């Protein structure tokens, strides 16, 4: 712990892509007294939470809430639908896809991991870590599986390690065109409530999400959004599960309660978060993140540094990956920025460690906090001796001035 007299003044800049800055309104809601999770008020809260989450996932079907980080909800998705030895087809978009694949293997599943081959000539980074899912590669693999050994296709909607999104509707079409019965499972842990996500329309069977990214909550709760088909498959799936089992949760949720003690105060926060997201409307929430992201990309482009995502069609609205020049350790730059300016940036994970850092633009941000964030990065790059083509701060200010937020126009 820092000694009190060393504590910096002002708010820390938590610009990692989750946990995101939590609005005071949510922190205050969480400070209310804890109540009896079997008492009468709780059931009212529980029903409102599930109904609100259905709106955010854009689904009419059940949503399970777990007192766990996102990783728990990943396990729940697999444990509720798969049997030992089942084959799952996963797609290597980045580190989170890789961690999910590792988990599937540890749970006793067979995994196949599709990746675009090769490295990117400009940066030397793995090709598939700079692009979204290529649905054609999934279609091809499914067509080569007439015996339907593949039980699920698992993809990450917003790959938080790279700042790349994937076209989920295209993955659904690939599965349907191949007339393949595999379930579609989507990790939208960092996509939900910041990038457009449509559970029913896109035909997703199981979606996984968490509290500490787009929903602006502290870490600690996570979600599975289900489809009728997922609930059907669940009945015959043989992987062991108890804490994660959907059947009891879905049944008790009908009256607003849970089989075990839920995270009551985090759920107060979730109630407030849902109100904030839904009172603005999802379209406004998505547009806000797109506008911030475009501004931050303008800044990175002005520096003359490559953006980790190499395909403009799938830039993440949630975070931007900044590739540092060869020979510059991105983590050393991050450390300098943290020490000097009390600003946290996301580290490069896995195969891109040391080669890039991540700027989060989600949660309780606004134009001025993002200008300050980019200023912190720019000062840090300067101190680290990184040559820049121009001023990112100026580019960001110009972008925001030219593209006023709708409520100020
Ligand atoms: C954050 C994140 C996870 C892991 O969630 P935890 O809450 O850390 O367990 C998994 N997938 C993606 C895409 C994420 O952004």
């Amino acid at each position: 712990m820092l000694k009190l007299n060393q504590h910096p003044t002002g708010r820390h800049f938590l610009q990692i892509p989750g946990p995101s800055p939590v609005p005071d309104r949510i922190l205050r809601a969480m400070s209310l007294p804890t109540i009896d999770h079997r008492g009468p008020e709780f059931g009212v809260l529980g029903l409102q939470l599930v109904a609100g989450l259905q709106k955010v996932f854009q689904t009419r079907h059940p949503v399970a809430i777990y007192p766990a980080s996102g990783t728990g909800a990943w396990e729940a998705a697999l444990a509720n639908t798969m049997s030992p030895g089942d084959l799952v087809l996963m797609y290597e978009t980045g580190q989170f896809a890789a961690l999910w694949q590792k988990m599937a293997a540890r749970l006793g599943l067979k995994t196949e991991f599709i990746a675009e081959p090769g490295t990117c000539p400009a940066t030397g980074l793995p090709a598939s870590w700079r692009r979204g899912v290529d649905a054609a590669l999934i279609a091809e693999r499914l067509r080569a599986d007439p015996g339907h050994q593949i039980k699920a296709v698992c993809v990450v909607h917003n790959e938080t390690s790279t700042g790349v999104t994937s076209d989920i509707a295209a993955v659904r079409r690939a599965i349907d065109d191949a007339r393949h019965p595999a379930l579609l499972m989507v990790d939208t842990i960092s996509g939900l409530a910041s990038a457009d996500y449509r559970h029913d329309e896109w035909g997703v069977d199981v979606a996984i999400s968490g509290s500490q990214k787009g929903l602006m909550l502290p870490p600690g709760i996570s979600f599975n959004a289900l489809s009728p088909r997922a609930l059907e498959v669940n009945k015959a799936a043989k992987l062991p599960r108890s804490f994660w089992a959907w059947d009891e949760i879905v049944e008790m949720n009908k009256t607003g309660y849970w089989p075990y003690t839920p995270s009551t105060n985090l759920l107060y926060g979730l109630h407030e978060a849902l109100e904030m997201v839904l009172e603005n409307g999802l379209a406004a929430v998505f547009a806000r993140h797109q506008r911030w992201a475009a501004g931050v990309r303008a800044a990175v482009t002005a520096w003359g540094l490559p953006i980790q995502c190499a395909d403009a069609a799938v830039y993440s609205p949630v975070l931007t990956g900044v590739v540092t020049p060869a020979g510059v350790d991105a983590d050393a730059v991050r450390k300098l920025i943290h020490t000097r300016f009390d600003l946290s940036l996301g580290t490069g994970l896995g195969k891109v460690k040391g080669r890039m850092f991540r700027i989060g633009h989600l949660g309780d941000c606004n134009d001025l906090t993002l200008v300050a964030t980019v200023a912190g990065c720019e000062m840090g790059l300067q101190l680290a001796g990184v040559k820049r083509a121009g001023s990112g701060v100026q580019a960001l200010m110009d972008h925001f001035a030219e593209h006023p937020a709708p409520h100020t126009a």
Side-chain angles (χ1 to χ4, degrees), residues 125-140:
L125 298 170
S128 83
W129 284 45
R130 300 199 68 194
R131 298 182 173 278
V133 168
D134 180 352
L137 294 180
I138 292 178
E140 196 183 312

Side-chain angles (χ1 to χ4, degrees), residues 17-18 68-72 74 96-97 99 156-161 187-191 210-213 219-222:
S69 86
T71 303
W74 262 349
F96 287 102
L99 290 173
V156 176
H157 176 218
N158 181 72
E159 178 51 80
T160 324
S161 64
D187 169 347
T188 187
I189 293 182
S190 64
S211 55
Q212 76 272 28
K213 317 258 168 114
I221 48 175
S222 53

Side-chain angles (χ1 to χ4, degrees), residues 28-323:
R28 278 196 297 274
M30 289 179 48
S31 72
L32 294 175
T34 305
I35 57 171
D36 174 7
H37 63 286
R38 311 259 182 228
E41 300 130 289
F42 195 91
V44 178
L45 174 70
L47 289 173
Q48 288 177 355
L49 294 175
V50 174
L53 279 171
Q54 286 173 318
K55 290 195 180 122
V56 175
F57 277 101
Q58 306 199 50
T59 182
R60 290 177 296 115
H61 305 297
V63 180
I65 308 177
Y66 294 105
S69 86
T71 303
W74 262 349
E75 179 158 340
L78 296 170
N80 273 291
T81 54
M82 297 290 116
S83 298
D86 277 354
L87 176 61
V88 292
L89 184 63
M90 304 177 116
Y91 196 107
E92 185 183 347
T93 43
Q95 179 70 0
F96 287 102
L99 290 173
W100 199 12
Q101 187 235 0
K102 188 172 121 197
M103 167 186 275
R106 289 178 64 134
L107 289 173
L109 301 174
K110 290 201 208 83
T111 67
E112 254 185 60
F113 210 24
I114 302 183
E116 269 177 69
T119 52
C120 165
T123 57
L125 298 170
S128 83
W129 284 45
R130 300 199 68 194
R131 298 182 173 278
V133 168
D134 180 352
L137 294 180
I138 292 178
E140 196 183 312
R141 181 61 189 89
L142 292 177
R143 277 196 297 269
D145 180 38
H148 300 160
Q149 294 302 307
I150 297 169
K151 300 302 177 197
V153 174
C154 301
V155 293
V156 176
H157 176 218
N158 181 72
E159 178 51 80
T160 324
S161 64
T162 59
V164 180
T165 61
S166 281
D167 183 345
I168 303 302
V171 178
R172 176 80 261 172
R173 278 195 302 276
I175 299 172
D176 291 348
D177 290 351
R179 298 180 183 280
H180 200 290
L183 290 176
L184 173 56
M185 302 209 213
V186 176
D187 169 347
T188 187
I189 293 182
S190 64
L192 191 76
S194 39
D196 193 3
Y197 178 80
R198 307 174 191 192
H199 191 76
D200 290 358
E201 187 185 319
W202 293 349
V204 179
D205 291 300
V206 188
I208 298 101
S209 196
S211 55
Q212 76 272 28
K213 317 258 168 114
L215 282 170
M216 310 177 287
L217 293 163
I221 48 175
S222 53
F223 318 104
N224 276 174
L226 312 178
S227 74
R229 177 105 199 290
L231 285 163
E232 202 46 46
V233 168
N234 173 244
K235 292 182 191 152
K238 298 271 184 319
L239 275 183
R241 57 185 174 268
S242 168
F243 180 79
W244 306 117
W246 290 337
D247 50 0
E248 288 184 0
I249 297 173
V250 169
E251 191 52 38
M252 284 197 71
N253 273 183
K254 290 179 183 160
T255 53
Y257 296 91
W258 271 264
Y260 39 72
T261 317
S263 318
T264 307
N265 289 57
L266 273 167
L267 295 181
Y268 294 156
L270 175 61
H271 188 270
E272 197 70 19
L274 291 169
E275 248 175 34
M276 291 176 77
V277 167
L278 296 171
E279 80 196 3
N280 284 317
L282 286 173
V285 170
F286 302 148
R288 179 171 80 220
H289 289 84
Q290 290 288 2
R291 181 175 166 276
W292 287 340
V296 171
R297 287 196 303 272
V300 179
T301 304
W303 290 331
L305 297 179
I307 291 169
Q308 174 73 28
C309 177
D311 177 0
V314 290
Y315 281 140
S316 170
V318 175
L319 74 139
T320 299
V322 182
V323 180

Side-chain angles (χ1 to χ4, degrees), residues 306-371:
I307 291 169
Q308 174 73 28
C309 177
D311 177 0
V314 290
Y315 281 140
S316 170
V318 175
L319 74 139
T320 299
V322 182
V323 180
T324 50
V328 175
D329 177 3
D331 280 334
V333 178
R334 278 179 52 248
K335 189 159 174 249
L336 186 63
I337 293 170
H338 182 260
T339 311
R340 290 287 293 267
F341 308 116
D342 198 25
L343 161 62
S344 291
L345 297 163
T347 184
L349 295 167
K351 291 183 181 173
V352 293
K353 180 147 190 66
R355 287 303 322 279
M356 56 90 89
F357 63 85
R358 297 171 295 147
I359 305 175
H361 26 81
L362 72 167
D364 198 33
C365 296
N366 61 36
D367 288 11
L368 294 188
T369 57
L370 289 176
V371 170

